[in-house]
Amino acid sequence: MNKFMQATLLAAMACASVAAGAAGYPQAGKPIRFVVGFPAGSSIDNVSRIVLDDIRARTGAEIIVENKPGALGVLGVDAVARASPDGYTMMPSSSATSSSGPHLSKAFQRYDALKDFTQVGRVVRFDVVIVTRTGGPLESARQLIAAARAKPDGMTSGYGSGTGQVVAAAFSRAAGARVLGVAYKGQPAAVTDLIGGRVDLVASDLGAVLAQIRAHKLNAVALMSGKRSTILTDVPTAQELELGKLDLTGWIGVAGPAGLPPEVVRWWTVQLSDTMRNAAVQERLRNIGMEPDPMTGAPLQEFVREQYESWGQQIRQAGIQAE
């Protein structure tokens, strides 16, 4: 047998092995590893657990969440990119890893969100909000903007995701100020330091700070979306604050390694569809600041592509360089 025929045979055997493994997916007694590249308590982690709880309850599938925080989500993405495309290693896809991350981290740039991963479905979209600590001198957007302009390079912004980094930079640029960004392993750590007075503001997924806003530990001073939130109806948008037509919203979904078998994609698509029709799940998601907004198939692929371009434009305008 020549080398070409041998290589062809081995490739065919590999494909057959993956297809055989997908038959009867998920197999009883074989857990699905769901790798979250952000810490417990982050928006991506919270959404993942709500969605997976419902899937487990309906199907009996064993799905184990494994948190691998760090490097703006790169550690989790790396683990899934290297995994076998058999459906037993999955992850949340998001604006942090698929839209902003590739423009912010050189480590992300070795991956293409559409070529190197199978984008299965979007489940939610969410607002990004600028928050300050209650009881401090920056309890409104006007106070924050005035202080930032008065103290160039004298204010700090904590962020624990690519989304937060970009939004904070876009807000700073639009306000005509210079705010020093401080990176954290996740949004909960950034919020902890904000409450403790170690940073001046945080740009965060609404879901990661909604509980503290409701408990009056944080002030929501500005939204970076194009319209007001249905959850925080009294918080002004960037446009209302005369900061331009900023419209940056985040999203979270489910993805796996490139080349997932059709049977696996079909199973996840069906489960996500059933879960997102569940009124109890919708209520749980809205309670943590997320808007259910499912999408699959070709529209999802186009959405992921468009979001990559949109966030890239904002990052270039903000002058952020990939590190």
Side-chain angles (χ1 to χ4, degrees), residues 122-192:
R122 185 183 74 191
V123 291
V124 298
R125 296 189 75 171
F126 57 86
D127 288 313
V128 184
V129 62
I130 304 293
V131 291
T132 61
R133 68 182 180 278
T134 300
L138 308 173
E139 294 201 346
S140 74
R142 300 295 183 190
Q143 290 174 324
L144 175 60
I145 293 168
R149 288 172 176 170
K151 295 195 304 180
D153 298 322
M155 298 187 68
T156 54
S157 170
Y159 61 87
S161 70
T163 302
Q165 180 184 9
V166 176
V167 169
F171 175 81
S172 174
R173 179 182 59 83
R178 294 193 303 272
V179 179
L180 177 65
V182 180
Y184 290 84
K185 283 189 174 181
Q187 291 180 122
V191 169
T192 296

Side-chain angles (χ1 to χ4, degrees), residues 214-230:
R214 287 172 170 166
H216 304 292
K217 293 181 179 180
L218 294 177
N219 304 303
V221 300
L223 286 172
M224 294 297 100
S225 53
K227 60 182 180 180
R228 288 208 176 197
S229 167
T230 58

Side-chain angles (χ1 to χ4, degrees), residues 34-118:
F34 200 86
V35 183
V36 179
F38 299 89
S42 62
S43 294
I44 293 175
D45 179 76
N46 290 338
V47 169
S48 297
R49 291 176 187 273
I50 290 172
V51 170
L52 297 178
D53 281 350
D54 184 73
I55 293 175
R56 289 191 199 98
R58 286 187 296 98
T59 67
E62 186 179 357
I63 308 175
I64 300 171
V65 175
E66 178 182 331
N67 294 93
K68 292 179 71 70
L72 298 179
V74 173
L75 298 183
V77 167
D78 279 341
V80 176
R82 294 194 304 266
S84 172
D86 56 9
Y88 290 94
T89 304
M90 302 290 289
M91 71 177 189
S93 55
S94 68
S95 46
T97 56
S98 298
S99 304
S100 60
H103 301 283
L104 297 172
S105 169
K106 292 179 180 178
F108 264 125
Q109 290 176 359
R110 61 180 176 267
Y111 299 119
D112 183 296
L114 293 172
K115 294 179 181 178
D116 297 314
F117 300 94
T118 303

